[in-house]
Amino acid sequence: MFTTRPTLQGTFGMASTTHWLASQSAMAVLEDGGNAYDAAVAAGFVLHVVEPHLNGPAGEVPIILAPADGPVRVLCGQGPAPAGASVAHYTSLGLDLVPGTGPLAAAVPGAFDAWMLLLRDHGSKSLAEVLRYAIGYAEHGHPAVERIGATIETVRELFETEWTSSAEIYLPDGRPVAPGGLLRNRPLAATWRRLTAEAEAAASGRAAQIEAARRIWREGFIGEALACYAARPAMDTSGERHAGTLTGDDLAAFSAAYEAPVTHDWNGWTVAKAGGWSQGPAFLQQLALLPSELPAYGSPEYVHLLIEGCKLAMADREAWYGDAAEVPLDALLSDGYNAARRDLIGEHASYELRPGSPDGRTPRISKHAVAASGGGLDAGCEVRGASGSGAGEPTVAHGGPGTAGPGAPGAAVSGAVGTAGPGGVPADVAPETDRNGATRGDTCHIDVVDRWGNLVSATPSGGWLQSNPVVPELGFPLGTRLQMAWLEEGLPNSLTPGRRPRTTLTPSLALRDGVPVMAFGTPGGDQQDQWQVHFFLAVALRGAVRGGLDLQGAVDAPNWHNDSFPGSFYPRGMRPGSVTVESRIGDGVIDGLRRRGHRVTVGDAWSEGRLCAVARDPETGVLSAAANPRGMQGYAVGR
């Protein structure tokens, strides 16, 4: 089968990330005697430098790790809402959504502390050893990828007129850096040099110096600067200037933490994901909804089945996921619940938002999501179940296209906020010009496996250059993850002080017969647990290459996504019945989907999915890796 690159194989170590410089930095750490965790940390800090439009130090990162000698764990680097971030405070400002940019959207930064815990508990290198790659690229420059300049151009006016500290770094000569031009961030390099020096002066020994660095981030010069800048009003997507709620006390109180993964077994595989504070269980629900016998891989019937199962899982995400209330994951993943939900998948595309009622509970949908869906329900009302499905299925309904065929909804829908950008690229990565900073960022990904059998998967994001003004003495901005929480009380994802906003970030780890064998993930916001499901099934269903998993073939396979659920990013829109496919998927599949009532947008041939993956064969010790060719910057390396 056609692939753009070979699936790499070796026995020493493998790294796959969304930027070749991060991949090679990870490999350099492995070559220097480091393990997978050292390598992942070094790559994570390099990504802050070389993909600043996609992530930053004050963002967040969920990590899934499988130590060779221990259980699979999730390391949560998603910070909570600050103590002052209440629904009442935001609505008192006249807001009905958390802004997509600016200080009000900033959660407590979580990425730095998570990387430090990973390094302290599982790594072997010192702080200075893992930071030196990022310091070098920030100090001396790196060739900018095309999308950095394109992103800066979309917010140029904002930088020039409002966020002038950002202009100093990203408009150094009054214009964005050209593709291939050297981009430097000397303030960031100086921050990491000072951090390292202060940590080394404060303590002796590797672990103690890492602990000192954590304290400096929270309460030292970094924490002080972050809190000070959060209190300064800045222009945001509301069109007004607002100060944030983040304080020094919020920073001092936060610590990243380990937790058990949520898992689901499917055909001899076990997939491990982060909990219901992320969208990770939606991946598992999509597996649970699959019938025992699948249509032919890649057929119109196969793609239709996955699209419709995804809609049901994402409707449950909207109704049940979050950190502000209990998430009934056992019920959501149970056989009986998913058998009843599976019966809802018909021959035609659904144009309804249909959350289920696990354990007979009544779901609630935010008034904004109801409005975006075209459901016409009263603002803030509960969505009560209808009889007859066994799962107590409630429905937020509206019409579909009149050409959908027998049994399909009958009236056209208009006015929903679209989430597909130019060329089929999802809007959370598509350039959009807005003088108030409404250009959305995306995400990065890192997977590493070492010769000892350690596996790690991490999805860093947030703290984008376009998210908040750069803190001038630090060289990076705050993040905007609070935009994913609702400004309504009583929802699982209500904005709640001390609680995490539901994140789209969702790394994956797969076990075969109970043994960890594969780490994978992708950028892409709400698309992450769509593209990853398609990748995983391609690996599981399509055979092997050279005795191992065909990772590159699965990465390269034509991909797609749908937006038939409320989006996680400001302005939180949806496109009922929509499907965006790569043109390579073929006319037969496209025509078959349209006959089933799907509103198909045909994107560019290589526009859907940005997967990274590594794997290890536990019997032979052979390691494998692959990376996404889309975007022309992801690479896998190894030997």
Side-chain angles (χ1 to χ4, degrees), residues 63 72-76 257-262 273-277 500:
I63 303 168
V72 175
R73 301 289 286 169
V74 171
L75 177 51
C76 175
Y258 294 97
E259 58 189 55
V262 181
K273 302 288 286 187
W277 52 268
R500 295 165 289 192

Side-chain angles (χ1 to χ4, degrees), residues 26 149 158 216 237 263 297 310 340 351 396 544 600:
L158 178 70
I216 294 165
T237 52
T263 62
Y297 177 85
C310 176
Y351 277 62
V396 179
V600 181

Side-chain angles (χ1 to χ4, degrees), residues 109-134:
F112 179 86
D113 201 60
W115 288 127
M116 290 298 101
L117 277 187
L118 185 67
L119 183 65
R120 184 196 71 183
D121 297 342
H122 297 280
S124 62
K125 295 293 188 180
S126 70
L127 180 66
E129 287 174 313
V130 297
L131 285 180
R132 67 189 183 96
Y133 305 93

